[in-house]
Amino acid sequence: MALAVVVGAGAGVGSVVFRWCIKTFTRLLSGHTDYSASPGAGNPHVPWLGPYFVLLAPVIGGLLYGPLVNRFAKEARGHGVPEVMLAVAQRGGRISPRVAVVKTLASALTIGSGGSVGREGPIVQIGSALGSTLGRVTRATENRTKLLVACGAAGGIAATFNAPLAGVFFAMELILGTFSAEAFGATVLASVTASIIGRASFGDVAFLTLPAFHVDHLAQYGLFALLGVAAAVVGMGFARFLYLIEDACDWLWRGPEWLRPAVGGLALGLVLLALPQMYGVGYPVLEKATEGGYAVGFLLLLLAGKMLATSLTIGIGGSGGVFAPSLFIGAMLGSAYGIGVHHLIPGTAGAVGAYALIGMGATFAGAARAPITAVVILFELTGEYSIILPLMLAIVLATAISRLLSRDTIYTLKLRRRGIDLEGPAPGAVIGAQQVGAVMEPLPAPLPATSTLADAADLLSLSGHGALPVVADSGEYVGVVTAQAVAEALAEQPDAAPRTIAQLAAPPAPVTPEQPLSQALHALLSAAGTGVPVLDAKRGEPVGWLSHQSALRAVHATT
């Protein structure tokens, strides 16, 4: 708990320094606090260039951060969150302390020189690097080090966006990938500590200033649901387009990597010259869109422009996050959608801004597939509670559609393209290469679904397993019944207890003989008993049994 507070304080201070660096470099290279608030204006430092200074700003920034990243911390390139997820999943939470310094400077230079990326990815990587370093200095266990990494991520998000709850859920849903009382308590401490520091520096105000919204008509829920479906498609499209542009940049570039951001900065400068609203993070443009300040055609142009500018910034080697761009894209989509339905059914559609806000959350959920984080962070970023129900509806639908469209998110897709599966074994791991069929045991004698509780208890006690498969009279596989479930049923009142075990049988997560053992371990560890049935992939019938002992024997045989 003490270490969580220290990590939270470090992440809070890091976010203050990071935002100061962004403002400083933005003023130096554009002459404005936020150039997207006055697009097309000249740079007062070089007034003779007029708006054409945007052609040079990304080049100058690339000349500064390109060699820095290439020389000291190559993992600081890109949007950061996948590297933290990989460190927690397969590297014991180990992140180089140099990443915090390099990421701060590289991302601030990228955004300050016009890079159309966000600051959530950098601050997550900065805070996580602080947590990892503290874990190694104090010689914490691997699990505690991973938790400190998550605390750093939670603290960074909380302080940067004044969103303490969102920081907690971001850390647990995306970084740890699990929920527990210990993880919740530690990340809350880190998040609260970082938020106190952030509020002392930036003030206790909502990150985005949006008009008040409310739902006037029940038919709007159907409109919000359709927006959620569209946002899922756009969110996954953004993820695919991002890596398509990155592949194109990799294919085109043949020079040294340290020079790539500067040369690529010329292409980014052309985009900024044509659409100066893409300069930096772009929150002023986002707020204006939610207020109905743009026509539908220009909103769609801004949506496409953000996809291109963000993808190009990442593709040329820039450093920055994709969370803010996904919010931007979602706001443009939602605003355009809201204006469209307002023209079609003006008496029912309601305020355009409501669709923009819901589009933000649903697009992020579609791209990152983190529904809890999307709901909480949109609420905290805006301070707007009145449309929480339609927001939840659209986000859940966007998450479900996204899962149907792709197995990967915008974060995991980056790792899978490098041949890394977060659910698989780490490179060089002892366990994981074997298939389940090579290590499974013979299937224990199944229990008939019509067996009484007393008979099932006797058979379970003699079987040597904490669970047994259950089959119906027709021979069809029903599920698994555990000794714990039978014991609890026997302890109930006679009139409340089930007569047979058919009501207690439940199928665990499916495991097949062709499945890698590393993936099957997730189902084995979450099973209530001491093993799980191995099912034939075509017929769905049990053909073997995977137990903890068989998994341990597989490890022993390869060492």
Side-chain angles (χ1 to χ4, degrees):
M1 294 298 182
L3 292 177
V5 172
V6 174
V7 171
V13 173
S15 68
V16 173
V17 173
F18 180 50
R19 286 183 62 172
W20 178 84
C21 288
I22 291 175
K23 287 185 177 180
T24 300
F25 292 136
T26 302
R27 288 195 185 99
L28 286 174
L29 294 169
S30 73
H32 299 267
T33 302
D34 191 335
Y35 184 70
S36 65
S38 51
N43 186 339
H45 300 318
V46 283
W48 48 276
L49 281 176
Y52 293 94
F53 81 94
V54 296
L55 292 172
L56 298 177
V59 177
I60 296 172
L63 286 173
L64 294 173
Y65 70 76
L68 179 69
V69 171
N70 192 65
R71 172 66 178 84
F72 294 104
K74 293 182 179 179
E75 61 266 43
R77 175 186 171 183
H79 46 100
V81 175
E83 283 71 22
V84 178
M85 295 168 67
L86 177 62
V88 170
Q90 296 185 357
R91 296 178 180 172
R94 295 186 298 274
I95 303 175
S96 171
R98 291 184 298 182
V99 171
V101 178
V102 175
K103 192 72 175 181
T104 299
L105 294 174
S107 297
L109 282 166
T110 300
I111 297 171
S113 62
S116 193
V117 285
R119 52 193 183 214
E120 101 293 338
I123 195 58
V124 165
Q125 202 168 9
I126 292 166
S128 297
L130 293 173
S132 177
T133 302
L134 184 60
R136 280 185 288 177
V137 168
T138 58
R139 298 183 179 180
T141 63
E142 182 175 303
N143 286 337
R144 289 292 173 86
T145 301
K146 291 179 180 179
L147 185 51
L148 290 176
V149 169
C151 288
I157 291 288
T160 301
F161 297 110
N162 188 21
L165 273 177
V168 172
F169 287 107
F170 182 95
M172 291 196 294
E173 194 172 22
L174 286 174
I175 304 303
L176 290 177
T178 184
F179 292 83
S180 67
E182 182 183 20
F184 183 78
T187 51
V188 163
L189 280 177
S191 185
V192 168
T193 305
S195 292
I196 292 172
I197 295 174
R199 290 180 179 183
S201 303
F202 310 129
D204 184 13
V205 294
F207 188 71
L208 295 175
T209 303
L210 301 176
F213 307 126
H214 57 277
V215 179
D216 299 316
H217 200 286
L218 288 177
Q220 291 178 20
Y221 285 98
L223 299 174
F224 292 136
L226 290 175
L227 176 58
V229 174
V233 176
V234 171
M236 287 311 303
F238 172 46
R240 298 292 179 180
F241 187 74
L242 173 71
Y243 296 113
L244 178 66
I245 295 297
E246 189 171 6
D247 286 341
C249 292
D250 291 339
W251 181 76
L252 288 171
W253 182 248
R254 294 292 182 270
E257 283 299 313
W258 65 267
L259 190 59
R260 176 169 165 170
V263 176
L266 290 171
L268 179 59
L270 291 173
V271 175
L272 297 178
L273 184 63
L275 207 58
Q277 289 84 358
M278 298 298 103
Y279 197 106
V281 181
Y283 282 125
V285 181
L286 187 154
E287 290 186 8
K288 187 174 180 180
T290 62
E291 296 168 356
Y294 301 117
V296 172
F298 192 65
L299 286 169
L300 296 177
L301 178 63
L302 290 174
L303 186 155
K306 195 66 173 182
M307 283 190 179
L308 177 61
T310 300
S311 302
L312 193 57
T313 303
I314 298 293
I316 65 175
S319 178
V322 294
F323 168 70
S326 68
L327 293 186
F328 188 102
I329 292 168
M332 301 306 116
L333 172 68
S335 294
Y337 179 88
I339 293 173
V341 297
H342 186 74
H343 285 307
L344 291 174
I345 41 177
T348 305
V352 171
Y355 295 93
L357 177 57
I358 290 173
M360 290 162 62
T363 302
F364 171 67
R369 211 169 298 154
I372 300 175
T373 303
V375 171
V376 174
I377 204 166
L378 260 295
F379 167 60
E380 288 195 295
L381 289 184
T382 62
E384 182 58 52
Y385 184 78
S386 60
I387 58 171
I388 193 71
L389 292 181
L391 182 65
M392 292 168 64
L393 172 64
I395 284 174
V396 168
L397 285 174
T399 304
I401 298 298
S402 172
R403 190 177 297 276
L404 290 175
L405 293 175
S406 173
R407 64 179 295 189
D408 287 304
T409 69
I410 196 170
Y411 297 128
T412 60
L413 185 57
K414 179 179 180 180
L415 299 174
R416 194 175 298 279
R417 285 159 42 86
R418 288 158 44 187
I420 298 172
D421 183 1
L422 291 181
E423 296 181 354
V430 174
I431 194 169
Q434 310 94 326
Q435 289 186 333
V436 171
V439 301
M440 68 182 184
E441 302 172 356
L443 183 68
L447 295 173
T450 54
S451 299
T452 63
L453 296 181
D455 291 341
D458 291 337
L459 292 173
L460 279 164
S461 64
L462 296 172
S463 69
H465 297 283
L468 287 174
V470 178
V471 295
D473 292 337
S474 60
E476 182 183 359
Y477 168 67
V478 176
V480 170
V481 66
T482 65
Q484 178 183 355
V486 172
E488 290 175 350
L490 287 170
E492 294 179 358
Q493 296 295 329
D495 56 344
R499 296 179 180 275
T500 65
I501 63 169
Q503 297 175 262
L504 301 178
V511 174
T512 62
E514 298 79 16
Q515 195 172 4
L517 183 56
S518 59
Q519 293 182 6
L521 286 178
H522 293 283
L524 182 60
L525 293 175
S526 59
T530 57
V532 292
V534 181
L535 306 179
D536 181 87
K538 295 181 179 179
R539 302 191 307 270
E541 299 176 355
V543 293
W545 190 261
L546 180 65
S547 66
H548 296 85
Q549 291 87 345
S550 56
L552 288 172
R553 280 195 296 268
V555 176
H556 178 69
T558 54
T559 55

